[in-house]
Amino acid sequence: MKGRTIVITSGKGGVGKTTATANLGTGLAMRGHRVVVVDTDIGLRNLDVIMGLENRIVYDVVNVIEGTCKLSQALIGDKHDFELYLIPAAQTRDKNSIEPEQLRELCAELEEQFDYVLIDCPAGIEQGFKNATAAAKEAIIVTTPEVSAIRDADRVIGLLESAGLHRPRLIINRIAPEMVKRGDMMDQKDVEALLAVEVIGLVPADENTVVAANRGVPVVHNPKSSAGQAFLRIAARVDGEDIPLMDLEPKTGLISRFKDLVGIGGRTYSHA
Amino acid sequence: MPVLKTGVVQVMARGTDVAFVIDEKAPFDLVASELRDYLAKQNGLWSKGDITVNVGQRLLARQELAQVKAIIETHSGLKVTRFWCSPESLDGGDFHIEAKPSAARSSGSKRNTADKADKPPAHNEIVLPGEASNNPAQPSPAIVSFIEQLKARHNKNGARNRNLTEALFIKSTFRSGETVHHHGDVVVLADVNPGAEIRADGDIVVLGSLKGWVHAGASGDTKAVIVALELPSARFEIAKYQGIAPASTRRKSKSSSSGPRIAYVRNRSIHVAEFAGRFARYSKGVPYEG
């Protein structure tokens, strides 16, 4: 069976594309799929660091495309016991070192071997973006509930649609439930109304995400963390499972704690 | 509003105006036969009246124009008084254009009402004088058009012409960075997001929230309007006028932008009022002068 190539993009930098790629890749691999993540942020590679594979890099995506090495040589196996591989970006080159067509060919080759090919897209809408999106047949947009990130996401969705990548899906990252409740942060409905695309996941702001990235172990490995759970659920949804979005209500107040205690409505997450 | 449509010939009716719009790419023989069949079928639908034939970008030879005229006039009770084509096609056309408005009109077209004869045709109309069409072979200054140049678009007939250009429908959210310039009305069946730009020679209607930048009546038509279900956008233009929301509106944008709004030009500035129909009489709305 041919694999699915999905690009993870955002327009704005620093909203969590790379973190989302690492976690989604790991999440899908945990579900038993053969997954490869490709870092196309040439010159500013990060994905290897977040996955804790920095020390194992010998060859990179530019080497493969230029034919300096075989594809199998550039595939770095994950530290954990999953069918998860990384093709890192080159650090000493720039975005213009590859052409969209070359990446498309590479992904076509990867699709033969893997169930999922996830492309980590660089920030911006220039050459790197064009390279990354050309190869994909599906797109996931990462945004945070901030106007600047949403504006960029809107622009990117427009560009994707004009490039023929219709119906991209959205991950809203770094939601602070307390701020949403106070009305200081946009909620899922606001973002959905602005961008008019399907939301595939809500990820709460979680310190564990930062800790996990620093350790080089994606947060999905920590099933107790709220962000880890969120990414697992997103992986399940990408995989075609129909599970409701999390309701990111802050768990405060005596009543809800009491309810938790005695087990009425005893689920942490109600249906969104 | 298009009332009837066949393959290549389209009949548009708007108020009392009737126009035949002919497909720009179809071969002429097909157009002629379809038009004939169509009119034969619809025989008796029209009593009489003057009509305009819009040929778009097609460059028809004189004989062909005359043939179209003959077909329409024999199969319906209508009288073809004008042909209309897009201005670009006139430049390269085989029409010999003579700018002798008054003389040509008095010798040429036989218009029944004096008021009509006094009205100068718009720049991209081809007035087809009666005798020329009856006898197309005659080498006379047969087809005369008064093209001032493209700037004539800005004259007061501009509003009437744009009725004949079909509206552009945008069916999904118009996003940041997307732009369009249409020589007619634009209808958006979704939101116009911040950072998007729409320029229309006619009206702009947004069945959603208008947050981007739009310019209605971009060719100078001050009668153009902007209508939106929500109008949080703080800056837009109509003809040569710029609208900037007053500071008070901007501050409490949520409450003031709820409900459909219309923006129009009144007293050389843009006003915004609650929408009460396209042809409602709007008094002074909220002036958008910053």
Side-chain angles (χ1 to χ4, degrees):
Chain A
M1 202 193 88
K2 252 188 125 198
R4 288 161 67 186
T5 304
I6 306 174
V7 65
I8 288 110
T9 183
S10 71
K12 189 175 180 298
V15 295
K17 281 180 300 296
T18 305
T19 310
T21 310
N23 281 295
L24 197 51
T26 311
L28 285 165
M30 283 169 144
R31 295 175 63 84
H33 293 293
R34 291 175 54 81
V35 181
V36 60
V37 289
V38 185
D39 190 354
T40 61
D41 200 348
I42 299 166
L44 291 167
R45 74 175 173 214
N46 286 147
L47 187 54
D48 52 315
V49 183
I50 289 188
M51 292 177 71
L53 300 173
E54 198 181 3
N55 298 334
R56 306 192 188 182
I57 296 176
V58 182
Y59 297 109
D60 56 49
V61 68
V62 177
N63 295 140
V64 180
I65 281 172
E66 290 178 346
T68 351
C69 72
K70 280 187 265 175
L71 175 57
S72 56
Q73 290 176 295
L75 287 169
I76 303 170
D78 187 50
K79 287 188 288 195
H80 302 82
D81 228 0
F82 307 121
E83 290 279 358
L84 175 62
Y85 295 86
L86 165 74
I87 298 183
Q91 188 68 331
T92 52
R93 308 290 290 272
D94 64 29
K95 307 302 192 261
N96 300 319
S97 324
I98 60 172
E99 297 283 326
E101 187 49 46
Q102 294 173 316
L103 200 67
R104 197 180 293 147
E105 280 168 25
L106 173 65
C107 288
E109 207 177 329
L110 290 168
E111 278 171 15
E112 302 296 327
Q113 301 176 36
F114 293 92
D115 301 326
Y116 286 97
V117 181
L118 303 185
I119 303 172
D120 183 22
C121 179
I125 52 171
E126 293 81 23
Q127 186 66 36
F129 172 81
K130 285 174 192 151
N131 290 340
T133 51
K137 294 177 189 70
E138 295 170 56
I140 291 176
I141 316 278
V142 182
T143 188
T144 56
E146 294 157 40
V147 278
S148 52
I150 286 169
R151 182 71 54 87
D152 289 3
D154 188 39
R155 177 89 171 101
V156 161
I157 296 166
L159 289 171
L160 290 174
E161 280 173 350
S162 64
L165 270 173
H166 296 287
R167 305 192 62 79
R169 293 182 287 182
L170 189 72
I171 293 176
I172 309 175
N173 198 9
R174 277 193 224 128
I175 300 171
E178 309 80 43
M179 289 182 73
V180 174
K181 200 170 187 189
R182 285 204 304 270
D184 293 337
M185 186 181 263
M186 281 183 260
D187 68 2
Q188 179 209 341
K189 283 198 188 95
D190 297 333
V191 178
E192 242 176 340
L194 278 162
L195 294 178
V197 292
E198 182 198 341
V199 174
I200 197 177
L202 308 173
V203 184
D206 183 353
E207 288 178 1
N208 289 308
T209 315
V210 184
V211 177
N214 290 343
R215 290 208 188 123
V217 182
V219 75
V220 277
H221 286 293
N222 178 1
K224 280 184 189 151
S225 67
S226 53
Q229 286 174 359
F231 278 117
L232 280 175
R233 291 164 74 96
I234 294 169
R237 264 180 229 121
V238 169
D239 211 11
E241 246 183 69
D242 185 21
I243 49 172
L245 293 168
M246 279 183 182
D247 192 7
L248 298 177
E249 281 287 309
K251 272 208 302 171
T252 50
L254 270 175
I255 297 171
S256 70
R257 270 191 230 162
F258 176 69
K259 275 185 182 170
D260 273 1
L261 213 68
V262 296
I264 328 170
R267 281 155 38 87
T268 319
Y269 306 106
S270 61
H271 291 198
Chain B
M1 183 187 90
V3 278
L4 298 155
K5 191 170 178 166
T6 66
V8 292
V9 179
Q10 214 182 321
V11 181
M12 312 256 293
R14 186 156 176 157
T16 53
D17 291 345
V18 176
F20 284 71
V21 181
I22 296 169
D23 186 89
E24 290 172 11
K25 293 189 185 87
F28 181 76
D29 296 343
L30 184 65
V31 171
S33 69
E34 275 223 19
L35 189 59
R36 198 175 294 123
D37 291 353
Y38 174 74
L39 289 170
K41 227 185 291 167
Q42 302 291 331
N43 198 17
L45 187 64
W46 296 285
S47 47
K48 56 176 126 170
D50 294 348
I51 70 153
T52 300
V53 179
N54 181 351
V55 294
Q57 301 207 339
R58 176 196 293 275
L59 291 169
L60 289 172
R62 268 172 228 169
Q63 287 93 327
E64 290 173 332
L65 285 179
Q67 209 176 322
V68 170
K69 181 177 157 76
I71 292 170
I72 293 175
E73 289 184 349
T74 48
H75 292 273
S76 68
L78 299 167
K79 186 166 158 34
V80 178
T81 51
R82 291 166 183 222
F83 280 86
W84 195 94
C85 70
S86 53
E88 307 88 64
S89 54
L90 280 174
D91 297 335
D94 66 341
F95 296 112
H96 184 56
I97 293 150
E98 292 175 32
K100 284 190 289 183
S102 51
R105 202 170 335 113
S106 56
S107 72
S109 64
K110 297 167 187 164
R111 296 227 181 80
N112 0 10
T113 53
D115 124 90
K116 263 194 175 169
D118 287 336
K119 214 181 205 174
H123 66 287
N124 42 7
E125 286 176 11
I126 304 160
V127 174
L128 196 64
E131 61 265 59
S133 58
N134 294 339
N135 196 355
Q138 207 143 47
S140 61
I143 297 168
V144 180
S145 174
F146 319 135
I147 309 172
E148 304 280 0
Q149 269 162 16
L150 279 180
K151 68 178 177 194
R153 237 175 223 272
H154 297 244
N155 70 11
K156 58 185 172 199
N157 287 314
R160 221 167 63 82
N161 283 342
R162 78 159 205 266
N163 290 348
L164 295 172
T165 315
E166 280 196 49
L168 173 71
F169 278 78
I170 298 170
K171 294 181 182 170
S172 58
T173 306
F174 205 61
R175 297 181 187 280
S176 179
E178 296 182 308
T179 58
V180 69
H181 186 174
H182 181 63
H183 298 292
D185 304 329
V186 173
V187 180
V188 186
L189 304 175
D191 292 354
V192 176
N193 280 353
E197 291 185 14
I198 299 177
R199 223 179 265 270
D201 288 359
D203 299 340
I204 294 172
V205 177
V206 179
L207 297 176
S209 182
L210 171 50
K211 289 167 272 187
W213 182 87
V214 297
H215 187 180
S219 57
D221 181 8
T222 54
K223 292 231 161 31
V225 294
I226 298 166
V227 177
L229 292 190
E230 283 176 42
L231 188 55
S233 176
R235 265 196 67 228
F236 41 82
E237 291 178 29
I238 298 175
K240 60 181 179 186
Y241 302 106
Q242 252 198 25
I244 302 168
S248 58
T249 318
R250 257 178 283 172
R251 230 182 294 125
K252 45 173 186 178
S253 65
K254 258 210 171 140
S255 58
S256 66
S257 69
S258 64
R261 288 286 186 281
I262 182 167
Y264 51 92
V265 174
R266 186 63 37 91
N267 301 332
R268 298 179 182 206
S269 66
I270 293 180
H271 289 242
V272 172
E274 260 176 55
F275 183 66
R278 171 67 177 89
F279 300 104
R281 283 182 183 273
Y282 289 100
S283 51
K284 269 186 136 185
V286 180
Y288 266 44
E289 291 171 317

